[in-house]
Amino acid sequence: MKITRRFVLAAAPATLALAALPLTARRGWAVTTLVLGDLRIDSVSDGWMELPADFTTAGIPEDSRDEVIAQFDLPTEGMVESPLNVTLLRQGDRVVLFDVGSGPDFMPTAGKLTEALDAVGIAPEDVTDVVFTHAHPDHLWGVLDEFDEPLFANAAMQMGRAEHEYWSDPQILDTIREDLQSFAAGASRRIEVLGDSLTLFEDGAEVIPGVTAVATPGHTPGHMSFAIGTPEQGVFVTGDFVTTLLGFARPDIGAGTDSDPELAAQTRAAMLARLAEEKWPIIGYHLPDGGIGRVEADGEAYKFVAEG
Ligand SMILES: [Zn+2]
């Protein structure tokens, strides 16, 4: 099947989009962002997460929480949706996934990557390479199928060395925050199943020809982003160094799941400055409209300009 179902986007005023993560995640499977010769990059949807509203405001410092919620009109009750945008790169015989979504065990609204790939004519066994940004459930857990077998049976898999070290440390359950214990158990189990099929890389490595790893720590200790090609002819895969539109307007405010909030904030500010300056098109894993857009300076901070 060669049809790419595109997102049908509802026009939403910027403030509304900032307040509630968009309702558009469920409407499509793939958005194409770049076709260049035999290179093609799509954002494919693993579905979306449904999160309690207070979970999404957990990264705001206690003493300014009410003020920020009021200023950005953030929801405080009910559930909000966070899209899951997996980057798919195809070039010649190469089929590369940047992260693999959540798999069958995380949330009923997520784990749809196989269907999304099917909609663009790709079966799991066609995938030649998988590169991970980090080992959180919504990025890693889809690597195993419902029988706990590796889903992408023919793929070479790569993870940043520091990330791998962190989650495969036998002491992790004693040291990680209580609310992240299930993340740790899920990550170490999957890393164990993958075993030697996982190759490790460092900051600056060329993980795939033309794709460079960029260390962006803070969300997790070994978090990586990826520069595909150049700003003129490429896409920057952010991963989770910025997960909400609020993070653009207030780079000092991160996700409640950031393992080192201070480092995450430094990384976010530095990376947003760089992406705006270099005018990179980006795919953000949890951003609206397939996560495709650009970072633009906006006063003292930034904004996400969707281009999906
Ligand atoms: Zn995530």
Side-chain angles (χ1 to χ4, degrees), residues 49 82-84 99 133-134 136-139 219 223 239-240 243 257 285-286:
M49 295 191 288
S82 177
L84 300 166
D99 296 333
T133 60
H134 65 299
H136 275 170
D138 49 319
H139 301 254
H219 181 63
H223 190 279
D240 279 6
T243 57
T257 51
Y285 201 81
H286 296 291

Side-chain angles (χ1 to χ4, degrees), residues 91-95 126 128:
Q91 186 162 36
D93 294 334
R94 206 143 204 169
V95 179
D126 298 335
T128 59

Side-chain angles (χ1 to χ4, degrees), residues 209-248:
V211 180
T212 307
V214 179
T216 43
H219 181 63
T220 60
H223 190 279
M224 289 280 182
S225 305
F226 301 98
I228 304 176
T230 63
E232 295 75 32
Q233 298 187 328
V235 173
F236 198 95
V237 178
T238 64
D240 279 6
F241 71 70
V242 60
T243 57
T244 61
L245 297 178
L246 178 62
F248 289 79

Side-chain angles (χ1 to χ4, degrees), residues 93-297:
D93 294 334
R94 206 143 204 169
V95 179
V96 185
L97 291 175
F98 295 86
D99 296 333
V100 292
S102 322
D105 298 334
F106 188 50
M107 269 183 203
T109 54
K112 313 295 184 197
L113 180 63
T114 319
E115 293 164 59
L117 290 174
D118 184 53
V120 294
I122 292 175
E125 53 272 23
D126 298 335
V127 175
T128 59
D129 299 87
V130 169
V131 189
F132 293 103
T133 60
H134 65 299
H136 275 170
D138 49 319
H139 301 254
L140 170 69
W141 285 16
V143 79
L144 299 184
D145 65 15
E146 61 268 45
F147 306 106
D148 259 7
E149 299 284 340
L151 175 63
F152 304 99
N154 299 320
M157 288 188 242
Q158 302 186 60
M159 183 180 281
R161 185 178 302 278
E163 188 70 3
H164 183 268
E165 238 164 57
Y166 176 72
W167 296 103
S168 48
D169 178 352
Q171 307 301 316
I172 188 167
L173 285 173
D174 303 329
T175 54
I176 198 166
R177 265 165 39 199
E178 185 141 352
D179 58 326
L180 298 180
Q181 296 249 328
S182 65
F183 285 21
S188 12
R189 190 165 72 77
R190 282 163 182 83
I191 284 172
E192 205 180 308
V193 173
L194 295 178
D196 291 344
S197 62
L198 210 46
T199 306
L200 308 182
F201 62 87
E202 317 279 348
D203 181 24
E206 190 176 34
V207 288
I208 303 283
V211 180
T212 307
V214 179
T216 43
H219 181 63
T220 60
H223 190 279
M224 289 280 182
S225 305
F226 301 98
I228 304 176
T230 63
E232 295 75 32
Q233 298 187 328
V235 173
F236 198 95
V237 178
T238 64
D240 279 6
F241 71 70
V242 60
T243 57
T244 61
L245 297 178
L246 178 62
F248 289 79
R250 286 284 304 267
D252 58 315
I253 298 176
T257 51
D258 287 346
S259 69
D260 181 340
E262 213 166 295
L263 179 59
Q266 282 169 26
T267 293
R268 199 161 30 251
M271 289 306 300
L272 291 175
R274 176 181 160 188
L275 296 175
E277 160 91 31
E278 296 178 3
K279 299 187 167 53
W280 272 99
I282 68 168
I283 298 180
Y285 201 81
H286 296 291
L287 299 178
D289 299 348
I292 298 170
R294 282 174 197 271
V295 185
E296 282 184 12

Side-chain angles (χ1 to χ4, degrees), residues 19-21 50-60 65 69 74-81:
L21 281 161
E50 282 194 348
L51 303 167
D54 60 358
F55 185 91
T56 64
T57 54
I60 307 172
R65 188 165 297 158
I69 286 171
L74 302 172
T76 53
E77 284 174 5
M79 305 294 276
V80 295
E81 296 182 356

